[in-house]
Amino acid sequence: MQPEPSLDREAVAEQVFVALADPSRRTILAELAASGPATATDLADRLPITRQAIAKHLTLLSEAGLLIAEPGERRRVRYRLHSAPIQLAQQFLAALATNWDSNLDALKTHLDTQP
């Protein structure tokens, strides 16, 4: 039996939110978005984060599906952005916003009809 798609969507969204909760991981993602694929060493040279910390963050970002690890020369791994999980998290938030807006509209209508 396969899990419901909404549960999968929620699980992916949760992983994305956990990954994005850390400012260092957001910095790494921003650097990859600005400069393109890079190795952990490349990122350590550009960011005020140790290479060991970057490696740990890259692992978590990869597990969340936000990065794709690509083998490079001399067994160096280059990481590039993968946007699908972000898009799924955006859809999750959009659905929440729609429900929230509906509830607020219903409350406004109710309050407007009160004397």
Side-chain angles (χ1 to χ4, degrees), residues 1-8:
M1 183 171 154
Q2 290 190 337
E4 293 180 38
S6 64
L7 295 178
D8 289 345

Side-chain angles (χ1 to χ4, degrees), residues 58-72:
L58 290 172
T59 298
L60 194 142
L61 290 166
S62 295
E63 289 171 355
L66 295 169
L67 298 179
I68 295 176
E70 300 173 328

Side-chain angles (χ1 to χ4, degrees), residues 68-114:
I68 295 176
E70 300 173 328
E73 57 190 50
R74 289 187 259 149
R75 299 184 349 183
R76 293 179 69 183
V77 177
R78 291 171 52 93
Y79 294 87
R80 72 175 171 86
L81 295 177
H82 183 237
S83 64
I86 292 275
Q87 293 169 351
L88 208 59
Q90 286 174 322
Q91 292 168 1
F92 177 81
L93 290 173
L96 285 178
T98 298
N99 292 337
W100 184 254
D101 289 345
S102 298
N103 291 337
L104 288 177
D105 289 343
L107 177 61
K108 181 182 182 315
T109 301
H110 172 74
L111 293 175
D112 288 346
T113 60
Q114 297 300 308

Side-chain angles (χ1 to χ4, degrees), residues 12-22 25-26 60-61 64 66:
V12 170
E14 181 178 350
Q15 284 187 306
V16 169
F17 299 141
V18 167
L20 295 177
D22 185 276
R25 289 192 286 272
R26 291 193 305 270
L60 194 142
L61 290 166
L66 295 169

